[in-house]
Amino acid sequence: MIPFLALVRKDLLLFFGDRKAVVVGILVPIVLASFFGYLFGGQKGSAEMSKVPLLVVDQDGSDISRGLIAQLAGDKNLDVKPATLDDARESVRKGKATATIVIPKDFGKDAGRALFTAASKPQLDILYDPSHNVELGMVKGILAGAVMQTVSKEMFTGSGGREMVDESLAHVEADSQLPADVRKPLRDLLSSVKELNERQDERRTSGASGQAEVSGGLTMPYETHEEAITSGQNVEYNGYAHAFAGMGVQFILFMGLDVGIALLTLRQTGLWQRLRAAPLSRTMLLGSRTVSASLMAGFILAVLFTFARVVFGVRILGSFAGFVGVCAAFSLMTAAFGLMVAALGETPEATRGYSIMATLFMVMLGGAWVPTFIFPAWLQKLTVVIPTRWAMDGLDAMTWRGLGFSSALTPIVVLLFFALLFGGVAVTRFRWSVEG
Amino acid sequence: MLEVKDITKRYGPLVAVSDVSFRVDRGETIGLLGPNGAGKTTTVSIIAGLLSADSGEVLIEGNQVKSDTDPVKLKIGLVPQDMALYDQLTARDNLTFFAALYSLAGAKAKHAIDDVLNLVALSDRANHKVGTFSGGMKRRLNLAAALLHDPQILLLDEPTVGVDPQSRNAIFENLETLKKRGKTLIYTTHYMEEAERLCDRIVIIDHGKVIANDTLQALHQLLPVTNIIAVELDLVDGFKPEQMLALPGVKSAELKQNTLRVGVHDLSREAPGVLRWLAENGHCFHHVSSEQPDLETVFLTLTGRSLRDS
């Protein structure tokens, strides 16, 4: 036991002895996690989302186009500004605006006509930045609702709408092509709209009160209530929890990599000869390194989450035992990963390159940078073979999702399986001989 | 104490050592002498259990090292050629760690550490980080780390590489102290003067094979000459050294600048005749001295190559 403890103690002394490396090794993930946490939701989800910059070119100048612009400007997700067509194109090209909506001349008149008859529909041009496809979908959705509300309101209550109804009635009467079974209901509909408008006018003239005025136009027939499903009621999502888990996973993997490279370097030195000359078993030599690397990983995770708790209010809302279990299993997996790197590598220099690449793939596909739900469906299925995916799922489950210990069990078991797999490869492939 | 029997080690087509055999008695110091790449380090690595031989065996007091944790390994202390220390730790922390590898802790470890620090004269630097040490101090600490568990056999793989003459001398003094304490030393080097100063017996290895294994005196006997008479002549015009080969007992004669070197077997018997011949033939001289051929000459004689050029 004395040699084992001495080996672990020595590794820890060397790790903590290099204070600059320790500080940088902890500071960098904290800075990055703080940044990513802010981007992906911020503290308790209260950070204001940036609005989509949208330009509107109004070539119509009608009540409907003005109403449409006002409707768009009232949306909390949009930052609407008027522009000329040339300026708008330039702004989108330079990335200053995400999209531009061009309202063509006679849009109001044509849209109103198209609402009741088979007249051709006017076209709204949307000029957009192709790097903002997601926002484009959102803009189109908001635009559809705004157009329907504005046009229908004008048709039912506006002066332009009355003219349009009269015109449409005349058109229906004059259209000899219109089948009789269509003509009658269409005439009835337009006559009813006309009558409704006349009654509204009478009420306004007589100053009648006490009765609700019929709201003009079509409105959305529903309202939404949004509720973030987190660990409990009134517990808001904290984006920093995922960010700190992600950066912790990334930097601990890099630490595991360093452990492997250091072992490869050690094999080329007299220190390795001295260790091998001592009466120490191979299990003890690799086992002690596994324990020390796991302790270092656990330390880094503890510091990161303590910082996240104190500064950003990240809490372990799920099972604390589950959280510790996931951290421990991931730390062990990382240590085994480092040993595998040492076992498979030829020289430190050659190994560093490909193992950094492998680590970055694991980090990226494991969802440490961005959550895996952003990935395509096939990639989400594929990433279950990546151990970091399980670490991230486990840490998310135990922090902001606030799930119980049972939700940590699968990640723990999978991570331990990977630890065994990597450890097995390390033990069987490690080159013990010292070349003379 | 230690017996190396017919060990062979190959790396693919390269034969690093081939049928190497020698034995070392308790308290004896032997030098493994040979050029770089001769197979010295491979031999030491096999003895220390760092490498397994393809064939042959190493017996330590009649026992083979059978596993990584075999207690037989406790009888061996290894001083690797490369510095085997942690620069970031203090000398005492380094020694505490290496002592623990041999299950030494507490008072036993402290006693052992104080003892070896005293031996290598580094007690006053015990709490300094090794990174601040000079090359010579590191070499001494490297030696000390191998002595903590008080091994009977000490394997020293070129322990003076890269140190200044003063530090080298200090290490020699440490090793001479260990010899006096009855330790068995196996010392690899390609420096002749080190082997000549320290070793009771010398095993010369070349291309992985033992080409000589004997005491220094016995190795000298392998040479065509065992003594050289060096004479500084006043005038050398017209002097032909090969004329001297006709003298009884003279084995070689060569002239470089104004120094004549005459090789003989028996100095006391041949020297008067050589000097008399010079005087009688009008070759005045102002200085006479005698030299013994060194191991370099032995190696040259045995292999046909200079040791340092190999």
Side-chain angles (χ1 to χ4, degrees), chain B residues 121-161:
Chain B
L122 286 173
S123 298
D124 57 332
R125 300 296 298 263
N127 296 316
H128 289 72
K129 285 193 176 175
V130 172
T132 64
F133 284 16
S134 68
M137 289 161 74
K138 285 183 182 178
R139 281 284 167 197
R140 276 144 60 199
L141 191 63
N142 203 35
L143 168 65
L147 300 171
L148 288 159
H149 60 291
D150 195 25
Q152 178 53 42
I153 301 169
L154 198 59
L155 299 173
L156 301 128
D157 192 5
E158 309 215 17
T160 59
V161 168

Side-chain angles (χ1 to χ4, degrees), chain A residues 26-270:
Chain A
I26 288 172
L27 204 60
V28 173
I30 282 177
V31 169
L32 290 178
S34 303
F35 177 69
F36 277 106
Y38 180 74
L39 287 185
F40 289 104
Q43 191 170 15
K44 297 178 181 175
S46 63
E48 192 179 327
M49 290 290 289
S50 58
K51 293 182 173 185
V52 176
L54 178 73
L55 299 177
V56 181
V57 179
D58 186 3
Q59 295 174 336
D60 188 18
S62 65
D63 288 345
I64 286 184
S65 67
R66 281 190 292 273
L68 175 59
I69 292 169
Q71 188 82 23
L72 291 172
D75 194 291
K76 65 177 181 182
N77 296 307
L78 300 178
D79 177 20
V80 179
K81 288 194 175 104
T84 63
L85 184 58
D86 289 342
D87 288 348
R89 274 188 182 279
E90 196 60 17
S91 292
V92 174
R93 183 178 291 121
K94 287 179 178 173
K96 291 178 180 172
T98 298
T100 293
I101 295 170
V102 182
I103 305 173
K105 188 167 170 42
D106 294 332
F107 171 78
K109 200 184 291 179
D110 294 345
R113 196 175 291 130
L115 191 66
F116 295 117
T117 67
S120 64
K121 295 174 183 174
Q123 179 177 297
L124 283 174
D125 288 334
I126 301 177
L127 316 174
Y128 71 98
D129 182 341
S131 66
H132 289 262
N133 274 323
V134 176
E135 289 98 318
L136 177 66
M138 186 176 83
V139 167
K140 284 164 82 174
I142 295 170
L143 179 64
V147 168
M148 282 307 293
Q149 286 195 47
T150 310
V151 173
S152 62
K153 183 177 180 183
E154 181 62 24
M155 286 304 99
F156 286 107
T157 60
S159 58
R162 290 190 190 95
E163 287 170 20
M164 201 65 62
V165 169
D166 291 340
E167 193 181 307
S168 296
L169 260 174
H171 180 77
V172 167
E173 297 296 349
D175 190 352
S176 56
Q177 303 284 317
L178 205 62
D181 58 335
V182 175
R183 187 192 308 272
K184 185 176 181 309
L186 199 53
R187 186 195 297 130
D188 292 346
L189 171 67
L190 290 168
S191 299
S192 299
V193 171
K194 189 176 179 181
E195 189 183 338
L196 180 67
N197 283 341
E198 285 167 358
R199 288 191 183 169
Q200 290 273 60
D201 289 345
E202 283 169 15
R203 280 174 191 277
R204 280 194 208 99
T205 310
S206 65
S209 60
Q211 284 182 297
E213 187 173 335
V214 176
S215 65
L218 300 173
T219 57
M220 286 293 174
Y222 63 89
E223 285 183 348
T224 57
H225 168 69
E226 293 152 6
E227 181 187 346
I229 302 301
T230 57
S231 59
Q233 280 193 328
N234 301 322
V235 177
E236 292 181 333
Y237 170 63
N238 189 332
Y240 289 104
H242 180 85
F244 270 83
M247 288 303 113
V249 162
Q250 173 172 329
F251 280 83
I252 284 169
L253 267 182
F254 275 117
M255 189 220 66
L257 188 62
D258 281 345
V259 167
I261 302 286
L263 196 52
L264 271 176
T265 308
L266 179 70
R267 286 187 72 251
Q268 298 177 338
T269 67

Side-chain angles (χ1 to χ4, degrees), chain B residues 45-66:
Chain B
S45 297
I46 291 170
I47 295 170
L50 310 181
L51 269 180
S52 55
D54 295 331
S55 62
E57 61 182 6
V58 176
L59 299 174
I60 296 158
E61 289 186 336
N63 301 305
Q64 268 188 294
V65 176
K66 292 190 178 112

Side-chain angles (χ1 to χ4, degrees), chain B:
Chain B
M1 182 75 215
L2 173 78
E3 195 170 3
V4 177
K5 293 168 83 173
D6 302 322
I7 57 169
T8 296
K9 180 70 185 176
R10 292 184 184 84
Y11 296 108
L14 176 76
V15 181
V17 291
S18 175
D19 290 323
V20 167
S21 295
F22 57 88
R23 59 171 291 136
V24 193
D25 293 328
R26 181 178 282 268
E28 193 179 20
T29 297
I30 72 151
L32 291 184
L33 184 71
N36 290 328
K40 305 186 300 291
T41 298
T42 302
T43 304
V44 166
S45 297
I46 291 170
I47 295 170
L50 310 181
L51 269 180
S52 55
D54 295 331
S55 62
E57 61 182 6
V58 176
L59 299 174
I60 296 158
E61 289 186 336
N63 301 305
Q64 268 188 294
V65 176
K66 292 190 178 112
S67 70
D68 290 330
T69 55
D70 197 320
V72 175
K73 287 173 102 177
L74 292 169
K75 296 180 190 296
I76 297 175
L78 173 68
V79 181
Q81 186 174 336
D82 294 329
M83 215 71 79
L85 300 164
Y86 293 100
D87 279 356
Q88 308 92 314
L89 304 182
T90 65
R92 186 172 290 281
D93 280 343
N94 265 283
L95 295 178
T96 303
F97 168 64
F98 292 123
L101 298 184
Y102 292 86
S103 298
L104 290 175
K108 273 189 184 175
K110 186 179 181 306
H111 179 75
I113 290 166
D114 289 343
D115 190 37
V116 296
L117 281 173
N118 192 40
L119 175 77
V120 298
L122 286 173
S123 298
D124 57 332
R125 300 296 298 263
N127 296 316
H128 289 72
K129 285 193 176 175
V130 172
T132 64
F133 284 16
S134 68
M137 289 161 74
K138 285 183 182 178
R139 281 284 167 197
R140 276 144 60 199
L141 191 63
N142 203 35
L143 168 65
L147 300 171
L148 288 159
H149 60 291
D150 195 25
Q152 178 53 42
I153 301 169
L154 198 59
L155 299 173
L156 301 128
D157 192 5
E158 309 215 17
T160 59
V161 168
V163 301
D164 57 89
Q166 195 182 354
S167 294
R168 180 178 295 190
N169 208 42
I171 291 171
F172 284 165
E173 286 172 9
N174 295 154
L175 296 178
E176 280 160 356
T177 305
L178 291 169
K179 274 184 78 172
K180 283 177 194 161
R181 290 184 186 178
K183 300 290 182 194
T184 306
L185 308 183
I186 298 172
Y187 189 99
T188 80
T189 184
H190 59 271
Y191 294 119
M192 303 295 171
E193 58 277 18
E194 292 188 356
E196 286 175 341
R197 176 172 170 178
L198 283 173
C199 302
D200 304 317
R201 207 149 47 80
I202 289 158
V203 177
I204 299 178
I205 298 180
D206 190 35
H207 294 310
K209 291 186 174 175
V210 174
I211 56 171
N213 176 3
D214 221 322
T215 60
L216 191 58
Q217 290 86 340
L219 288 175
H220 280 159
Q221 294 301 320
L222 297 173
L223 298 172
V225 294
T226 51
N227 288 288
I228 290 169
I229 306 162
V231 185
E232 287 182 30
L233 300 173
D234 288 341
L235 290 169
V236 294
D237 288 345
F239 181 75
K240 291 179 179 172
E242 59 271 19
Q243 292 174 329
M244 302 195 72
L245 294 174
L247 293 173
V250 172
K251 301 293 178 185
S252 65
E254 63 173 358
L255 181 68
K256 278 188 183 170
Q257 294 179 328
N258 64 338
T259 302
L260 173 68
R261 285 188 145 78
V262 181
V264 296
H265 257 309
D266 190 329
L267 187 64
S268 54
R269 198 164 60 187
E270 321 297 0
V274 168
L275 298 176
R276 193 180 312 115
W277 185 89
L278 286 169
E280 285 172 357
N281 287 277
H283 301 297
C284 298
F285 49 89
H286 59 266
H287 188 259
V288 178
S289 61
S290 70
E291 298 169 357
Q292 275 202 314
D294 57 15
L295 278 172
E296 175 75 44
T297 317
V298 175
F299 189 81
L300 186 66
T301 305
L302 291 171
T303 66
R305 307 190 321 278
S306 164
L307 184 64
R308 286 188 172 84
D309 296 340
S310 295

